[in-house]
Short mmCIF file of all heavy atoms in Angstrom, two decimals:
data_model
loop_
_atom_site.label_atom_id
_atom_site.label_comp_id
_atom_site.label_asym_id
_atom_site.label_seq_id
_atom_site.Cartn_x
_atom_site.Cartn_y
_atom_site.Cartn_z
N ARG A 64 14.30 26.06 -29.19
CA ARG A 64 14.84 25.66 -30.50
C ARG A 64 14.39 24.25 -30.88
O ARG A 64 14.55 23.84 -32.02
CB ARG A 64 16.38 25.71 -30.47
CG ARG A 64 16.96 27.08 -30.25
CD ARG A 64 18.48 27.07 -30.35
NE ARG A 64 19.10 26.27 -29.29
CZ ARG A 64 19.60 25.04 -29.47
NH1 ARG A 64 19.56 24.46 -30.67
NH2 ARG A 64 20.17 24.41 -28.46
N PHE A 65 13.84 23.53 -29.91
CA PHE A 65 13.39 22.17 -30.13
C PHE A 65 11.88 22.16 -30.36
O PHE A 65 11.12 22.75 -29.58
CB PHE A 65 13.72 21.28 -28.93
CG PHE A 65 15.17 20.92 -28.78
CD1 PHE A 65 16.11 21.87 -28.44
CD2 PHE A 65 15.59 19.62 -29.00
CE1 PHE A 65 17.45 21.54 -28.32
CE2 PHE A 65 16.93 19.28 -28.87
CZ PHE A 65 17.85 20.24 -28.52
N PHE A 66 11.49 21.45 -31.40
CA PHE A 66 10.08 21.39 -31.76
C PHE A 66 9.76 20.00 -32.27
O PHE A 66 10.51 19.43 -33.05
CB PHE A 66 9.80 22.44 -32.84
CG PHE A 66 8.42 22.38 -33.42
CD1 PHE A 66 7.34 22.85 -32.71
CD2 PHE A 66 8.22 21.84 -34.69
CE1 PHE A 66 6.06 22.79 -33.25
CE2 PHE A 66 6.96 21.78 -35.24
CZ PHE A 66 5.87 22.25 -34.52
N ALA A 67 8.64 19.43 -31.82
CA ALA A 67 8.25 18.10 -32.28
C ALA A 67 6.82 18.14 -32.77
O ALA A 67 6.00 18.91 -32.28
CB ALA A 67 8.40 17.07 -31.17
N GLU A 68 6.54 17.30 -33.75
CA GLU A 68 5.18 17.22 -34.28
C GLU A 68 4.86 15.80 -34.67
O GLU A 68 5.74 14.99 -34.97
CB GLU A 68 4.99 18.17 -35.46
CG GLU A 68 5.92 17.90 -36.62
CD GLU A 68 5.77 18.91 -37.74
OE1 GLU A 68 5.01 19.90 -37.58
OE2 GLU A 68 6.41 18.73 -38.79
N ARG A 69 3.57 15.54 -34.73
CA ARG A 69 3.06 14.22 -35.14
C ARG A 69 1.68 14.47 -35.76
O ARG A 69 0.66 14.09 -35.21
CB ARG A 69 2.96 13.28 -33.93
CG ARG A 69 2.76 11.83 -34.29
CD ARG A 69 2.51 10.98 -33.04
NE ARG A 69 2.45 9.56 -33.35
CZ ARG A 69 1.92 8.64 -32.54
NH1 ARG A 69 1.43 9.00 -31.36
NH2 ARG A 69 1.92 7.38 -32.90
N PRO A 70 1.65 15.13 -36.89
CA PRO A 70 0.40 15.70 -37.42
C PRO A 70 -0.71 14.70 -37.71
O PRO A 70 -1.89 15.06 -37.60
CB PRO A 70 0.86 16.42 -38.69
CG PRO A 70 2.17 15.81 -39.04
CD PRO A 70 2.79 15.39 -37.75
N GLU A 71 -0.37 13.48 -38.08
CA GLU A 71 -1.41 12.50 -38.42
C GLU A 71 -1.46 11.36 -37.42
O GLU A 71 -2.08 10.33 -37.68
CB GLU A 71 -1.19 11.98 -39.84
CG GLU A 71 -1.29 13.08 -40.89
CD GLU A 71 -1.06 12.57 -42.30
OE1 GLU A 71 -0.74 11.38 -42.45
OE2 GLU A 71 -1.18 13.37 -43.24
N GLY A 72 -0.78 11.53 -36.33
CA GLY A 72 -0.85 10.52 -35.28
C GLY A 72 -0.02 9.28 -35.54
O GLY A 72 -0.18 8.27 -34.85
N SER A 73 0.87 9.34 -36.54
CA SER A 73 1.74 8.18 -36.77
C SER A 73 3.20 8.66 -36.77
O SER A 73 3.81 8.72 -35.71
CB SER A 73 1.38 7.47 -38.07
OG SER A 73 1.40 8.36 -39.17
N VAL A 74 3.73 9.03 -37.92
CA VAL A 74 5.11 9.49 -38.03
C VAL A 74 5.30 10.77 -37.22
O VAL A 74 4.42 11.64 -37.18
CB VAL A 74 5.48 9.73 -39.50
CG1 VAL A 74 6.84 10.41 -39.61
CG2 VAL A 74 5.46 8.42 -40.27
N SER A 75 6.44 10.87 -36.58
CA SER A 75 6.77 12.08 -35.82
C SER A 75 8.11 12.64 -36.28
O SER A 75 8.99 11.89 -36.73
CB SER A 75 6.85 11.77 -34.32
OG SER A 75 7.21 12.92 -33.58
N THR A 76 8.23 13.95 -36.18
CA THR A 76 9.47 14.62 -36.53
C THR A 76 9.92 15.49 -35.36
O THR A 76 9.12 16.24 -34.80
CB THR A 76 9.29 15.50 -37.78
OG1 THR A 76 8.82 14.70 -38.86
CG2 THR A 76 10.63 16.14 -38.17
N LEU A 77 11.18 15.37 -35.01
CA LEU A 77 11.79 16.25 -34.01
C LEU A 77 12.69 17.23 -34.77
O LEU A 77 13.58 16.80 -35.50
CB LEU A 77 12.61 15.45 -33.01
CG LEU A 77 13.38 16.25 -31.95
CD1 LEU A 77 12.43 16.97 -31.01
CD2 LEU A 77 14.33 15.34 -31.17
N LYS A 78 12.43 18.49 -34.62
CA LYS A 78 13.19 19.51 -35.31
C LYS A 78 14.00 20.32 -34.31
O LYS A 78 13.49 20.70 -33.24
CB LYS A 78 12.26 20.42 -36.10
CG LYS A 78 11.47 19.69 -37.19
CD LYS A 78 10.53 20.63 -37.94
CE LYS A 78 9.77 19.88 -39.02
NZ LYS A 78 8.81 20.76 -39.75
N ILE A 79 15.23 20.56 -34.65
CA ILE A 79 16.09 21.38 -33.82
C ILE A 79 16.58 22.53 -34.69
O ILE A 79 17.21 22.32 -35.73
CB ILE A 79 17.29 20.59 -33.26
CG1 ILE A 79 16.82 19.31 -32.58
CG2 ILE A 79 18.07 21.46 -32.28
CD1 ILE A 79 17.96 18.40 -32.14
N GLN A 80 16.28 23.73 -34.25
CA GLN A 80 16.69 24.91 -35.02
C GLN A 80 17.99 25.47 -34.44
O GLN A 80 18.26 25.35 -33.25
CB GLN A 80 15.59 25.97 -34.93
CG GLN A 80 14.27 25.54 -35.55
CD GLN A 80 13.17 26.58 -35.36
OE1 GLN A 80 13.11 27.25 -34.34
NE2 GLN A 80 12.30 26.69 -36.35
N ARG A 81 18.78 26.05 -35.33
CA ARG A 81 20.02 26.73 -34.93
C ARG A 81 20.81 25.84 -33.96
O ARG A 81 21.08 26.21 -32.82
CB ARG A 81 19.70 28.08 -34.29
CG ARG A 81 18.87 28.99 -35.18
CD ARG A 81 18.59 30.32 -34.51
NE ARG A 81 17.92 30.18 -33.23
CZ ARG A 81 16.63 29.95 -33.06
NH1 ARG A 81 15.84 29.80 -34.12
NH2 ARG A 81 16.11 29.86 -31.85
N THR A 82 21.19 24.66 -34.44
CA THR A 82 21.83 23.68 -33.58
C THR A 82 23.08 24.24 -32.89
O THR A 82 23.82 25.05 -33.45
CB THR A 82 22.22 22.42 -34.37
OG1 THR A 82 22.99 22.81 -35.52
CG2 THR A 82 21.01 21.63 -34.80
N GLN A 83 23.27 23.77 -31.67
CA GLN A 83 24.43 24.13 -30.85
C GLN A 83 25.19 22.85 -30.53
O GLN A 83 24.65 21.75 -30.59
CB GLN A 83 23.98 24.81 -29.57
CG GLN A 83 23.13 26.04 -29.79
CD GLN A 83 23.89 27.16 -30.46
OE1 GLN A 83 25.04 27.44 -30.09
NE2 GLN A 83 23.29 27.80 -31.46
N GLN A 84 26.44 23.01 -30.12
CA GLN A 84 27.26 21.83 -29.82
C GLN A 84 26.66 21.00 -28.71
O GLN A 84 26.77 19.76 -28.72
CB GLN A 84 28.69 22.26 -29.49
CG GLN A 84 29.50 22.65 -30.72
CD GLN A 84 30.97 22.80 -30.42
OE1 GLN A 84 31.34 23.30 -29.37
NE2 GLN A 84 31.81 22.37 -31.35
N GLU A 85 26.01 21.64 -27.76
CA GLU A 85 25.43 20.88 -26.65
C GLU A 85 24.22 20.03 -27.07
O GLU A 85 23.73 19.22 -26.29
CB GLU A 85 25.01 21.81 -25.51
CG GLU A 85 23.96 22.84 -25.89
CD GLU A 85 24.58 24.19 -26.24
OE1 GLU A 85 25.73 24.22 -26.71
OE2 GLU A 85 23.88 25.20 -26.03
N ASP A 86 23.78 20.22 -28.31
CA ASP A 86 22.68 19.39 -28.82
C ASP A 86 23.19 18.03 -29.29
O ASP A 86 22.38 17.14 -29.59
CB ASP A 86 21.98 20.08 -30.00
CG ASP A 86 21.38 21.42 -29.62
OD1 ASP A 86 21.07 21.64 -28.43
OD2 ASP A 86 21.21 22.27 -30.54
#
Side-chain angles (χ1 to χ4, degrees):
Chain A
R64 297 185 295 103
F65 286 69
F66 173 76
E68 59 183 6
R69 193 187 186 197
E71 298 179 356
S73 55
V74 172
S75 178
T76 303
L77 176 66
K78 298 179 180 178
I79 309 173
Q80 297 176 325
R81 304 180 303 281
T82 52
Q83 303 294 316
Q84 284 191 322
E85 61 263 29
D86 300 335

